[in-house]
Amino acid sequence: MNRCGNHSLSLTGFIRVEERILCLLCVSVTVFTMDSFGTNGNGNEDSLPPPPPVPSDVVPVKAELEPAKKKPARLPIARRGLGSKGRRLQLLTNHYKVNFSNNDGHFYQYSVALSYEDGRPVEGKGVGRKVIDRVQETYDSELNGKDFAYDGEKTLFTLGSLARNKLEFTVVLEDVTSNRNNGNCSPDGHGSPNEGDRKRMRRPYRAKTFKVEISFASKIPLQAISNALKGQESENYQEAIRVLDIILRQHAAKQGCLLVRQSFFHNQPNNYSDVGGGVLSCKGIHSSFRTTQSGLSLNIDTSTTMVIQPGPVVDFLISNQNVRDPYSLDWAKAKRTLKNLRIKASPSNQEYKITGLSELPCKDQLFTLKSKGGRDGEDAMEEVTVYDYFVNHRKIDLRYSADLPCINVGKPKRPTFIPLELCDLVSLQRYTKALTTLQRSSLVEKSRQKPQERMRTLSDALRSSNYSAEPMLRNCGISISSSFVEVEGRVLQAPKLKFGNGVDFNPNNGRWNLNNKKVVRPTTIERWAVVNFSARCDVRGLVKDLIKCGNMKGITIEQPFDVFEENGQFRRAPPLVRVEKMFEHMRSKLPGAPQFILCILSERKNSDLYGPWKKKNLSEVGVVTQCIAPTRVNDQYLTNVLMKINAKLGGLNSLLGVELSPSIPVVSKSPTLILGMDVSHGSPGQTDIPSIAAVVSSREWPLISKYRACVRTQSPKLEMIDNLFKKVSDKDDEGIIREILLDFYNSSGNRKPENIIIFRDGVSESQFNQVLNIELNQIIEACKFLDEKWDPKFMVVVAQKNHHTKFFQSGAPENVPPGTVVDNKVCHPRNYDFYMCAHAGMIGTSRPTHYHVLLDEIGFSPDDLQELVHSLSYVYQRSTTAISVVAPICYAHLAATQMGQFMKFEDKSETSSSHGGLNAPGAAPVPQLPKLQDSVCNSMFFC
């Protein structure tokens, strides 16, 4: 309490501090005027002498203000030691030791500029590698026999320098694929065949001349890799590793692989699996170099990508749209699906890129045909249909194309049409659109591999890759071991769980159940209703079973007020209309707002009603709701539903024993706020859908099992969360963090958090500095805005699931046990990271979560931090298993996904934005998510 005479100002609470009350009675202000200088404060003349005169020949130097000192950027902290707790276990990992003997050399980086004979730059992908290969073949002596590591676009590297800093070459390629008209297989919109067409009838491919300019850019010492292995990182190290990875990509490209970053896919029949809809999953291999505590290693893993089903275009379209024949196809949809895909046209076998479809069917689509032999020696012009040209002029039999659109492979103003049945999609073309639920489940089913099977696949992949024959790797002095790296794992003991009636339970193999147990904090459901959008459900029987199951778990459930069946006449109406009509029906019968609504839907996944229903309940009415789509109802199903309902209504299903003691190291000793942060983006191809940032925060300290969520939209594809601190005036901050801090203060006995632990999901290593210097700065600003004198300590941990390190038990068929942690040999040589497999991998091969500790002002020991991360995998209220990543991150993902459904059914024009971020000139404003009602905003509505 700060006191000034009779006036006092409490600084203990955020609410008072936020108002920034200034007691004017207690503040003495001295105002200086120009007249007050030269006096001693009482109005008397001071004894200071006047300044000396400036000589006439001296020009006064203008005093420059010192530039404001820039705050030093935060960098990820170094490792503070290794953990020691847990049962030790020898493991194998999919890293292969790399021997690296050439430390003295340099990679020389060169910029590559490719242009055609007329000076136009080469823009098409894929041509570059052919051109550079031809340069090497043709000018080998001028290049001193150097091997290139070429990235396929504008950069190449050599080991040692080329003869000069700037080199220019001219090469000719005979077999370059052209997207221009080829009269041997299609007519041109402005008359066809033309001069070039007739020449190409004798020579099927067009010869092209390319100019190649290679200019020196920089040099990278190989010593940088050795330094990084000793923990001395530099910018050069990242570049040197990048060159090694480019060598691997080039090696795969020469074998005809599809390249997706560092994953390589061969065109082999046994690599493909049909996942439906004309889409195949293609198995490949990920291969990349990593610097680790035990030296340089090669990380090899299996990888999967989606590709278009090769073969006749018409077969793909029929499968993609799930129709019986080509005459049932939706051609507007087909045009969008086919755009930019590559085809081979028969009989010429020429390759093209699809630019669109013809407006008219093949038998009606006209073009102007030029032919020799007109009067006065001029070319004759004749209007013919595409069908007539191919059947009568080219003598090609067309069986079913007459009534179907043609494929257009030309330019907008110079269309080039080919009948559909002459077009085959080429192999290894990526399918980048979002998969349906059925496709996703099929993919999971077909891509999973048991640990021992995966180990065999990886060993075979390394053997067949033949990296030892790659000349650039040999010249770098690189040789790769053929055996998995051995590491030591430790298996942490599972935390003890508390259930109702004081029951303690020790989970076994990362699993437990609620059989014969009561939830630890049950809720009572008194005012509730059931809404049925599904005609096939026995609602009365379901309600009776739910009440009975709830009573067994300690959750008191009264009879619902009523069951509201959907009126059959609205069943085919738009989702928004169906939801509104249901609420009108409910309002006419209910005496007031219910505490809870159980909603029965007909579709298990992707129901059109889900988004509008959730939005209506949470943002307009303020009622917690649970959606179900029951197919097979049993005790386990009902228990799972009740766990979600109990958590949403403020109850808890289980707690950690250490939460109630409370005896969590560090966390229980002083008020600690735990945050989980995630950003979800639109599906592939949806560039105008806003990204959704979610931050969940713990409440009711010292608990670490209870959370609430704050969700905002931001510019599409923006990974950094930009609404953490949002100052709108001198007194107002509308950011996420302020909302979270006030909730923690109010729910934790008017305590401010002294420690703030941030778990951040979904960022790559290249973005770690942004998390530390952009997001963390916003959080600190939000704290200071509430109370300038408040100085909490921070810990920032990034969790990554999207990596390629796996662990195996030697000679054992099962996955590593839950609670396995690895912080040696394959971790970073300097930075503070560890791998944890908290869950029991029952299917396929477990993927550990890779945790990176970027900052720790709090002072956790490695053991205490690993124990906390492990414990946070056991507080997820939706399941009775340990989960693979800490619960706050899972909740953030759930909250972002659920609120994202609010956007899905909005008019697309309302949700458009630009790539440029919030402040981009001309960017459409990002639509805001509707605010949740006060009655539900602090609930675990996302559970």
Side-chain angles (χ1 to χ4, degrees), residues 579-739:
V579 168
E580 286 299 333
K581 291 294 181 187
M582 181 60 82
F583 264 91
E584 284 173 21
H585 181 30
M586 288 166 66
R587 281 194 197 98
S588 67
K589 297 274 188 76
L590 287 173
Q595 174 194 5
F596 166 71
I597 300 174
L598 181 69
C599 175
I600 302 168
L601 301 172
S602 50
E603 303 94 345
R604 285 194 66 218
K605 299 275 184 185
N606 296 345
S607 169
D608 289 339
L609 285 167
Y610 183 86
W613 176 257
K614 285 286 183 184
K615 183 182 178 188
K616 183 76 178 175
N617 279 271
L618 296 174
S619 69
E620 294 179 35
V621 184
V623 175
V624 170
T625 179
Q626 176 64 48
C627 294
I628 59 173
T631 48
R632 196 177 55 187
V633 176
N634 55 24
D635 276 356
Q636 185 61 56
Y637 178 83
L638 293 170
T639 299
N640 289 345
V641 170
L642 280 164
M643 286 170 68
K644 294 180 182 182
I645 294 170
N646 189 49
K648 286 177 179 177
L649 290 173
L652 284 169
N653 302 319
S654 62
L655 280 168
L656 301 179
V658 287
E659 282 181 274
L660 290 179
S661 319
S663 57
I664 306 169
V666 184
V667 173
S668 297
K669 286 185 180 134
S670 49
T672 301
L673 169 66
I674 298 174
L675 304 180
M677 297 171 30
D678 188 25
V679 178
S680 71
H681 306 291
S683 301
Q686 292 182 312
T687 54
D688 59 348
I689 300 296
S691 293
I692 297 178
V695 182
V696 305
S697 55
S698 61
R699 54 201 316 265
E700 297 183 25
W701 178 83
L703 294 187
I704 61 169
S705 288
K706 207 158 195 187
Y707 294 84
R708 53 101 71 192
C710 192
V711 186
R712 305 281 172 90
T713 51
Q714 58 187 45
S715 296
K717 309 302 175 192
L718 179 65
E719 190 51 66
M720 290 299 114
I721 301 176
D722 69 354
N723 277 314
L724 295 169
F725 175 62
K726 192 176 180 185
K727 184 178 173 182
V728 290
S729 73
D730 287 344
K731 293 184 179 180
D732 295 314
D733 163 22
E734 293 181 354
I736 292 171
I737 295 300
R738 175 185 175 277
E739 187 179 315

Side-chain angles (χ1 to χ4, degrees), residues 408-436:
N408 180 10
V409 296
K411 299 267 168 63
K413 291 183 179 175
R414 288 178 62 88
T416 302
F417 299 118
I418 309 174
L420 197 66
E421 68 189 87
L422 300 183
C423 301
D424 279 17
L425 289 162
V426 300
S427 300
L428 289 179
Q429 295 193 76
R430 288 186 74 199
Y431 180 80
T432 55
K433 295 179 176 60
L435 297 180
T436 65

Side-chain angles (χ1 to χ4, degrees), residues 521-536:
R521 281 197 190 172
T523 188
T524 299
I525 306 172
E526 294 170 329
R527 293 173 293 106
W528 68 295
V530 183
V531 163
N532 184 21
F533 287 105
S534 170
R536 299 188 299 275

Side-chain angles (χ1 to χ4, degrees), residues 13 81 104-105 122 136 187 190 217 251 338 499 599 615 643 729 817 861 906 928:
D104 303 326
V122 175
Q136 282 188 282
H190 287 255
H251 184 77
L338 292 175
F499 294 95
C599 175
K615 183 182 178 188
M643 286 170 68
S729 73
S861 71
E906 303 280 10
Q928 295 303 305

